[in-house]
Amino acid sequence: VGSGAAGALDGLLPRGCREVALVGDSSVMGLYGEPLARRLEALAGTVHRLSFPPGEASKTRETKAVLEDRLLEAGATRGLCVVALGGGISLDLGGFLAATYLRGVDWIAVPTSLLAQVDAAVGGKTAVNTPRGKNLVGAFHQPAAIAIDPTYLSTLAPVEWRAGLAELVKTACVADAALFAWIEGEVVALGAPHVLDERFLERCVGIKADLVVADEREAGPRAYLNFGHTIGHALEKASAHALRHGEAVASGMVVEAELARRLCGLPDRDASRLVACLAALGLETRRPSLPFAALAPFLGADKKRRAGRVGEVELALPRRIGEMAGAEGAWTVAAPLALLEEAWEARA
Ligand SMILES: NC(=O)c1ccc[n+]([C@@H]2O[C@H](COP(=O)([O-])OP(=O)(O)OC[C@H]3O[C@@H](n4cnc5c(N)ncnc54)[C@H](O)[C@@H]3O)[C@@H](O)[C@H]2O)c1
Ligand SMILES: [Zn+2]
């Protein structure tokens, strides 16, 4: 973590790396691709520049296949290292490409959005979407290195910045009440894109890294990071991606906190603090005007659902700000669909 981190890839490229595939959406590649590509050319020799149109609609098996075919046609070998540059979409796609190209090659994550720097870059989850749901096909494939350069953040669109703040609030809710209080105190400064303090980025990365190290495959406490995501992912799908991931997670947290009040004893005061914090950051605190029935099919398709009973959904819910409900062996809470619908209606 640090300004210039991406320029310092020298020491981070895996030994034996002979060529690089620089993968990113066309916006980020246009802004930051060439200087990085030239740096990588000096370090590794050949650099294949692979870009695709920005947006969730590109995070598919089809896009991955197009990129793979280009590498195969170029004759890229197992000495290839994928460098994924961009937001969570570029990282999820680039990482998954690396996971299966010639049965797997190394990759490096260079996150450029706030969401990717505080969340998506860490943990080795890579995936694409399918028509049945988000992130349904993918692999756990840890990057060889992650270079987080906060100076990238200065060019982020305000709407993308806000979407990233949602994951930041989530991280604090899940694991760190002090971080949550810090965000509350900084809401004015956090209102617009800027180059975030490195210590702060390190704290966010540290929280996620600790949960991932404890539970790489999400059989345990890593599931906590899904707070806001059961509803959030369903909203993304039901709205055909009219909502950004972070925006959907913000709405998802509000609805799921409402459920946590009813199911896990989340104090009213904590639920109110969450809503007030999201509102002050310019995020949505009401659920979109969709009928619950529009969401239901996507709640069922959520792969995070354990083999639970029919009519129940498994969710990661907070017991208070900074601490999640559930204990040893039970990291999520089973909620009757009817109770979830009640919470949904309550946030109209
Ligand atoms: N793998 C994980 O653990 C994980 C965690 C959270 C989210 N995700 C995934 O991440 C995706 C969302 O990520 P995102 O919000 O970063 O979306 P994104 O990758 O689409 O980036 C958002 C937009 O900002 C632009 N952008 C990125 N960096 C920029 C910069 N520095 N300057 C200017 N523009 C820039 C991009 O071109 C894009 O248009 C979702 O698909 C979500 O499922 C994955
Ligand atoms: Zn997320």
Side-chain angles (χ1 to χ4, degrees), residues 22-278:
L22 182 60
V23 180
D25 77 34
S26 52
S27 308
V28 178
M29 288 291 270
L31 280 169
Y32 300 113
E34 256 330 286
L36 187 56
R38 281 197 294 273
R39 181 92 199 91
L40 290 164
E41 257 158 7
L43 292 170
T46 309
V47 174
H48 309 277
R49 295 158 172 81
L50 302 181
S51 67
F52 52 86
E56 199 72 49
S58 285
K59 208 177 98 172
T60 59
R61 288 176 285 202
E62 290 76 12
T63 308
K64 179 171 175 273
V66 169
L67 303 181
E68 283 161 352
D69 286 344
R70 284 188 50 196
L71 287 174
L72 291 169
E73 278 152 28
T77 63
R78 297 209 78 257
L80 181 77
C81 175
V82 172
V83 175
L85 171 75
I89 289 172
S90 300
L91 269 46
D92 279 4
L93 196 53
F96 188 30
L97 174 71
T100 62
Y101 187 73
L102 300 181
R103 297 200 184 88
V105 295
D106 283 320
W107 75 291
I108 292 178
V110 184
T112 62
S113 71
L114 177 59
L115 187 142
Q117 294 199 346
V118 300
D119 191 346
V122 182
K125 272 195 196 175
T126 72
V128 294
N129 306 325
T130 83
R132 285 290 294 157
K134 283 261 307 178
N135 301 330
L136 292 180
V137 176
F140 288 92
H141 188 46
Q142 295 292 346
I146 306 165
I148 300 179
D149 187 338
T151 56
Y152 285 135
L153 298 175
S154 59
T155 53
L156 212 55
V159 64
E160 300 297 351
W161 173 263
R162 278 198 295 278
L165 291 174
E167 295 279 14
L168 199 64
V169 170
K170 178 207 73 179
T171 302
C173 272
V174 164
D176 191 340
L179 180 64
F180 190 89
W182 181 88
I183 296 170
E184 286 179 316
E186 294 287 319
V187 282
V188 177
L190 287 172
H194 63 278
V195 176
L196 269 180
D197 192 301
E198 288 169 19
R199 282 168 309 179
F200 172 75
L201 287 170
E202 275 168 2
R203 177 68 191 129
C204 293
V205 168
I207 290 173
K208 181 151 185 196
D210 285 349
L211 284 166
V212 170
V213 166
D215 170 30
E216 187 180 1
R217 298 276 161 151
E218 202 176 300
R222 184 171 182 172
Y224 287 162
L225 292 165
N226 293 326
F227 174 45
H229 282 65
T230 302
I231 292 286
H233 281 161
L235 271 175
E236 281 181 87
K237 268 294 155 198
S239 72
H241 298 297
L243 285 172
R244 285 174 177 74
H245 177 73
E247 293 168 335
V249 169
S251 287
M253 282 193 288
V254 168
V255 173
E256 292 180 20
E258 186 68 36
L259 178 67
R261 278 182 55 223
R262 291 151 201 255
L263 206 59
C264 318
L266 178 72
D268 291 354
R269 192 181 117 75
D270 286 28
S272 307
R273 276 177 75 193
L274 171 61
V275 170
C277 182
L278 292 172

